[in-house]
Amino acid sequence: MKPEYNFKQTEQKWQEIWEKEKINQAVDFGTKPKFYGLIEFPYPSGSGLHVGHLRAFTSIEIVARKRRLEGYNVLFPIGFDAFGLPTENFAMQTGKHPRLVTDDNIATFTAQLKAFGYSFDYSRTVDTTDKNYYKWTQWIFIQLFKKGLAYKSKAYVNYCEKCKVILANEESQGGVCDRCGSEVVQKEKDVWFLKIRDYAEKLLDGLNDVDYLPRIKLEQINWIGKSEGAEIDFSVGGGAVKGSKLKIFTTRPDTLFGVTFMVIAPEHPFIAENAKSIKNMDEIERYRIETKKKNEFERIRVNKDKTGVMINGVCAVNPVNGCEIPIFIADYVTLDYGTGAVMAVPAHDTRDYEFAKKFGLPIVEVIAGGDIEREAFTDIANGILINSDFLNGLAVKEAGHKITEYLAKKGLGTRRINYNMKDWAFNRQRYWGEPIPIVYCPKCGTRHVPENQLPLELPPLESYRQTESGESPLANVAEFVNCKCPECGGDAKRETDTMPQWAGSSWYFLRYIDPRNEQALADLKKLSYFGPVDWYNGGMEHVTRHLIYSRFWNHFLYDIGAVPFKEPYVKRTAQGLVLGENGVKMSKSLGNVVSPDSLIKDYGADVLRLYIMFMGDYESPVPWSNASINGCRRFIDRLYNLLDITDKCEGYSEKHTGLINRLIKKVSEDIEAMKFNTAIAAMMSFINEIYADNYITKGELKAFLLLLYPFIPHMTEEINELLGYKVILSKSSYPKYDAAKLIDDEIELPVQINGRLKGTVKISKDAGLQAVKDAVLSDPILAAALGSNAVKKEIYVPKKIINFII
RNA sequence: GCCGAGGUGGCGGAAUGGCAGACGCAAAGGACUUAAAAUCCUUCGGGGGCAACUCCGUACCGGUUCGAGUCCGGUCCCCGGCACCA
């Protein structure tokens, strides 16, 4: 008789055994092949683990456990991305130091993760707020600074007045603050930028060498936004400063003969340079003020009416035909893309077309094939050049090459590539972040903190509020701000801003490989052994931020020789969102958040792990359903009860051989393809068939346990022990299937007549056509359906189907 | 507007061009029980028929094929990303 199953005791028992046996620990320079599986480390919030975390973590947890059984030296680490606003806000409200808040939250998270039986290597845990960790985050910043990839510049930034913090474009999408949801305004500020744009081409190229989900690659390509074209100089006529030029960027140099006006961004320096010649400065100034009032979001809103002001007193000259054209300022051209100036070709660009119509400007057709009375003709695949002098008769693409060559020869323009991606705004006016290791010396200028003085530690604070002017709380700490210049030793001041939350997460996967190294961010030999990450899973929401940033840093670290591989992640997948029971995104305000704490008390870790993987297609969003968990609980009960019908035979029974071989193949392949739901469904079917036969051999059960082990490790270990096996599953080998035994000798073949299903016949798996026909004719119903009609054609696909055409 | 992924029972979802709805949930009926829970058995896309059966059915219209949820052309609708990007 088997003992009653107490999930609470049993799960704890096995968690202790695994810890004692160190089954989760990766071995530096182990002799087995290595596998590095990674999940996005969590932000340790005060509310604890979320069911979304479970979905994100359990997939790689399953893969990691499977890989260990397959004989790999598995690195499956965990850590905490612990700098950030919520902790700082909590500290502000309660007066409790963020360090203590963070420690508490990490302790809570760790206990929860362990309760789920996740096989993380806890001996390698990293915490981005640990000074021994952020020392290296600062070190990386200094390397970027030394290479000229970190620079300070005045810029209009996205600023949240409520949070009093500069936001990156990624944190203010849609013109709304990522954190508090209030509207973002434009503010001129000193901003530290990282030149991620310099790495745009490497980031694009690198995508050819990695195995990311296609939609992930596409989002990154889209985000980087490469476009090829030309920069062309237009000389300026009228009263403009002599020799003054306007440089434009265009992807359509072929349309140069169709240019009828020019548009520059309202902030374009050309206006100040030519202020004396401009006759309607007042009007222009009014428009500029108007534009500045609008935030970025309003300004780029599509389908908005075109507005603008013509600049009186100056004009531009088309370099190929000498035509003088008017220059406008308009807010549909922005200073931060291309050159902040465009040549307008209304006949072949929808925006220019709208603008020309509104301002009554001429429209010159230079590509035949459209109806420019009605709309701009933008089809570049089928157009032929007209009204374009030496380009006439050419296709768009050829014309583009020819004109670019021509301009280059005459010194009027060059081939040029532009990227949509902006440089990364890298400072925040916050306390709970990595201090930027920079010193301002009145004599020597901007200098970095010497590397041997790292870490530059966060000083203790009395208040976490920003200064009245919105400066970082660190600006209030005289002992921190005032320092000596590392170069001349004179009085100097420190940078008081801190790094954004994305900093620490941009290299954490490297630190896991060598988490306690004091000489380097990680040892090169260890990096070569464990790196790069073989499989990284996380959320789609991080594809254009964290994933791009960390690839950028890794490429940079590779370039300076600190890391031995270019691309940090060999493979990247993403889980779908877990929605609330009502089918909408979980949020506190909607009250549809599901907390794992009470669930684990009611059902145990195994049931929840199983359900979270069974609930739907892994990559799609799926609503949570409390009721559906019952199905997984019943499955687990039925699994345990198999002990009652298990015989002593160590092999497979004849009847179950095909069944178990098929199951091994199915489950193993489904895990690799992240089709966890169908893997579990197949195991449920298996158990249903076993109960129908009312017996299972010990050997069959053992194989079944090994297949289930990555999903529900606790109960499977327990059953394995009850069966009398001395070796724990965690130290066993993954079962293999025999390809010759996948198909049973006798199969049911569907029979169609004129493409309609009429029934099935039982035949041998390699039956010939005649044998199948005999079987069909000996079945009275099928024979009757076939009747005396002449069979015109038979389509027989062995093992699949037979179709009679009559 | 551009790019991408989808649309299948009451619900979550399965189906290398080959038995649509696997697996699970919910629901209904039955067994066990003094009773309930748990468990087990049965039914479970729609219409018609006493029945054996039969017709319809994977957003919509059309096509290819012996055979289409799956492939092709068009339409509609949802979701995700990018967006006056020159």
Side-chain angles (χ1 to χ4, degrees), chain A residues 162-182:
Chain A
K162 194 172 164 207
C163 301
K164 292 215 190 306
V165 69
I166 295 176
L167 299 165
N169 292 323
E170 295 86 330
E171 296 166 292
S172 55
Q173 286 176 1
V176 171
C177 173
D178 228 18
R179 298 151 195 279
C180 72
S182 60

Side-chain angles (χ1 to χ4, degrees), chain A residues 515-804:
Chain A
R516 312 288 169 245
N517 194 324
E518 293 184 4
Q519 313 309 318
L521 57 87
D523 175 70
L524 269 175
K525 284 202 195 81
K526 289 184 184 173
L527 287 169
S528 296
Y529 175 81
F530 268 124
V533 174
D534 293 291
W535 193 338
Y536 189 16
N537 184 71
M540 280 309 286
E541 70 275 19
H542 291 135
V543 163
T544 52
R545 314 170 181 196
H546 159 64
L547 210 60
I548 291 244
Y549 294 150
S550 57
R551 288 184 59 224
F552 163 43
W553 276 30
N554 196 84
H555 272 270
F556 169 72
L557 292 169
Y558 172 79
D559 287 347
I560 63 168
V563 168
F565 41 84
K566 284 187 195 177
E567 282 294 337
Y569 318 119
V570 173
K571 174 174 179 161
R572 165 76 188 205
T573 52
Q575 76 279 354
L577 227 50
V578 181
L579 307 170
E581 288 215 77
N582 51 0
V584 297
K585 203 172 163 171
M586 280 192 194
S587 80
K588 268 185 202 158
S589 57
L590 288 169
N592 60 352
V593 176
V594 178
S595 150
D597 269 348
S598 61
L599 292 166
I600 199 167
K601 227 174 272 161
D602 294 345
Y603 295 99
D606 281 341
V607 171
L608 274 181
R609 288 167 62 117
L610 195 68
Y611 173 63
I612 201 94
M613 289 294 105
F614 181 63
M615 58 199 295
D617 175 44
Y618 187 67
E619 287 172 20
S620 307
V622 66
W624 182 264
S625 164
N626 273 320
S628 294
I629 302 173
N630 280 327
C632 291
R633 204 208 63 236
R634 285 180 195 134
F635 171 75
I636 279 188
D637 289 348
R638 279 156 64 83
L639 170 68
Y640 193 66
N641 292 336
L642 282 177
L643 281 167
D644 297 334
I645 57 166
T646 307
D647 67 23
K648 293 207 159 53
C649 169
E650 293 282 350
Y652 299 161
S653 66
E654 202 185 320
K655 184 156 188 216
H656 294 160
T657 296
L659 201 61
I660 193 92
N661 276 286
R662 280 195 295 276
L663 186 72
I664 294 168
K665 182 171 193 284
K666 170 81 177 158
V667 171
S668 178
E669 290 176 357
D670 278 1
I671 290 174
E672 298 305 323
M674 297 203 125
K675 294 170 78 172
F676 304 105
N677 55 337
T678 50
I680 294 166
M683 292 191 282
M684 287 172 164
S685 285
F686 175 81
I687 225 172
N688 290 344
E689 297 212 30
I690 291 301
Y691 274 108
D693 292 341
N694 207 33
Y695 76 90
I696 183 168
T697 71
K698 197 173 161 188
E700 288 158 14
L701 181 54
K702 173 86 184 193
F704 188 46
L705 291 175
L706 284 162
L707 290 178
L708 264 168
Y709 163 81
F711 296 82
I712 48 168
H714 309 92
M715 180 184 268
T716 48
E717 284 277 25
E718 183 69 13
I719 297 175
N720 181 64
E721 188 179 77
L722 290 170
L723 285 174
Y725 290 108
K726 294 285 178 276
V727 179
I728 62 174
L729 289 181
S730 300
K731 293 191 168 181
S732 306
S733 297
Y734 204 73
K736 292 192 170 59
Y737 64 87
D738 179 347
K741 291 181 176 157
L742 291 172
I743 298 174
D744 289 333
D745 291 340
E746 196 164 69
I747 58 165
E748 279 206 8
L749 187 79
V751 179
Q752 291 184 336
I753 294 174
N754 288 344
R756 300 188 76 101
L757 184 77
K758 292 292 169 186
T760 62
V761 286
K762 262 208 165 111
I763 54 152
S764 142
K765 65 174 171 180
D766 343 276
L769 177 59
Q770 194 53 50
V772 175
K773 277 158 82 174
D774 291 346
V776 170
L777 290 173
S778 62
D779 179 301
I781 294 168
L782 291 173
L786 218 46
S788 56
N789 298 294
V791 174
K792 278 198 281 190
K793 199 173 167 188
E794 294 139 353
I795 295 120
Y796 175 42
V797 185
K799 302 185 182 81
K800 285 282 181 202
I801 204 160
I802 186 158
N803 189 4
F804 296 96

Side-chain angles (χ1 to χ4, degrees), chain A residues 410-558:
Chain A
K410 297 249 169 181
L412 298 167
T414 50
R415 246 177 61 82
R416 169 82 196 191
I417 291 165
N418 257 311
Y419 302 95
N420 207 358
M421 182 172 63
K422 312 246 188 302
D423 278 344
W424 177 8
F426 200 69
N427 51 329
R428 302 290 183 271
Q429 292 67 45
R430 285 284 166 181
Y431 172 72
W432 197 230
E434 301 87 346
I436 294 177
I438 288 289
V439 170
Y440 301 103
C441 170
K443 268 190 255 162
C444 309
T446 306
R447 288 290 178 268
H448 66 81
V449 171
E451 286 154 53
N452 61 15
Q453 287 176 23
L454 295 180
L456 172 59
E457 287 189 50
L458 273 169
L461 281 198
E462 273 163 37
S463 160
Y464 305 103
R465 292 200 190 285
Q466 280 150 330
T467 64
E468 285 300 305
S469 57
E471 294 305 307
S472 157
L474 290 176
N476 292 324
V477 186
E479 311 86 80
F480 179 80
V481 176
N482 298 317
C483 64
K484 297 295 175 202
C485 170
E487 197 122 331
C488 69
D491 287 343
K493 294 207 183 295
R494 284 192 197 284
E495 170 65 61
T496 57
D497 283 358
T498 54
M499 300 188 197
Q501 201 183 345
W502 310 108
S505 59
S506 291
W507 72 283
Y508 74 110
F509 52 93
L510 299 171
R511 190 65 177 175
Y512 284 142
I513 291 174
D514 194 9
R516 312 288 169 245
N517 194 324
E518 293 184 4
Q519 313 309 318
L521 57 87
D523 175 70
L524 269 175
K525 284 202 195 81
K526 289 184 184 173
L527 287 169
S528 296
Y529 175 81
F530 268 124
V533 174
D534 293 291
W535 193 338
Y536 189 16
N537 184 71
M540 280 309 286
E541 70 275 19
H542 291 135
V543 163
T544 52
R545 314 170 181 196
H546 159 64
L547 210 60
I548 291 244
Y549 294 150
S550 57
R551 288 184 59 224
F552 163 43
W553 276 30
N554 196 84
H555 272 270
F556 169 72
L557 292 169
Y558 172 79

